[in-house]
Amino acid sequence: MSRAFVKELDGEAGDELPELAVSPHRNLVTPSGLAQIEHTLHRLDGELTDARAAGDQPLIARIERDLRYFRQRKATAEVVRPTGATDKVRFGSRVQLMTSAGEPVEFRIVGEDESDPPKGLISYVSPLAASLMGGSVGDRVPFLDTEAEIVAVEPCLE
């Protein structure tokens, strides 16, 4: 039978995991973002030791791929240190918005690997962060299907 009609199971010999996509943007990180990358590398090193001891080849391949990604991210990380007080939105800033419905929303602008929108951490390359960057209190920015006003800007306090 032709190989075109045979579906191999994931993890079988010969299957190669695709590399994790690396962003084309600068790898800006906060100090805590760099600490997260280092913590992830440490955790993955431990998981790799355990997977090797168990002889779990598919797991070893996945962890080695993840280690390559995070080693590259650490090597290219550009730590953006906290700056003094400023009234302009910058990388690391905590920004409070007031929606057109009168609801306050708060975001912190962080690196791509730190991003966690449900926790209010947005990547500096996201459309919302791009619209906020350089803004100051009183500016209006697009937000969801309407707009919001910047009501507070706090510098990164790390």
Side-chain angles (χ1 to χ4, degrees), residues 129-150:
S131 70
L132 291 169
M133 295 295 261
S136 56
V137 172
D139 289 351
R140 300 190 71 75
V141 295
F143 184 73
L144 299 176
D145 58 353
T146 183
E147 61 179 26
E149 180 180 346
I150 299 173

Side-chain angles (χ1 to χ4, degrees), residues 71-85:
R71 284 181 183 136
Q72 189 274 341
R73 296 302 278 174
K74 182 178 178 186
T76 60
E78 298 176 42
V79 179
V80 178
R81 301 281 174 201
T83 59

Side-chain angles (χ1 to χ4, degrees), residues 21-135:
V22 176
S23 172
H25 303 284
R26 290 175 58 197
N27 186 14
L28 302 181
V29 297
T30 63
S32 65
L34 181 60
Q36 287 175 354
I37 291 171
E38 290 169 342
H39 173 78
T40 300
L41 285 168
H42 180 73
R43 178 182 52 79
L44 288 169
D45 281 335
E47 289 178 10
L48 182 58
T49 298
D50 294 344
R52 284 181 174 154
D56 187 338
Q57 293 305 315
L59 183 57
I60 291 169
R62 183 196 59 80
I63 294 169
E64 287 176 340
R65 178 208 50 197
D66 292 354
L67 278 166
R68 284 189 299 276
Y69 173 84
F70 283 103
R71 284 181 183 136
Q72 189 274 341
R73 296 302 278 174
K74 182 178 178 186
T76 60
E78 298 176 42
V79 179
V80 178
R81 301 281 174 201
T83 59
T86 178
D87 61 343
K88 298 282 185 191
V89 177
R90 302 190 188 296
F91 183 89
S93 293
R94 190 171 308 281
V95 182
Q96 188 176 50
L97 303 175
M98 186 64 66
T99 68
S100 58
E103 297 176 17
V105 183
E106 186 173 286
F107 295 101
R108 179 158 179 238
I109 300 174
V110 297
E112 292 179 277
D113 294 322
E114 301 172 75
S115 177
D116 190 348
K119 292 183 179 177
L121 303 171
I122 60 172
S123 167
Y124 81 100
V125 298
S126 70
L128 176 58
S131 70
L132 291 169
M133 295 295 261

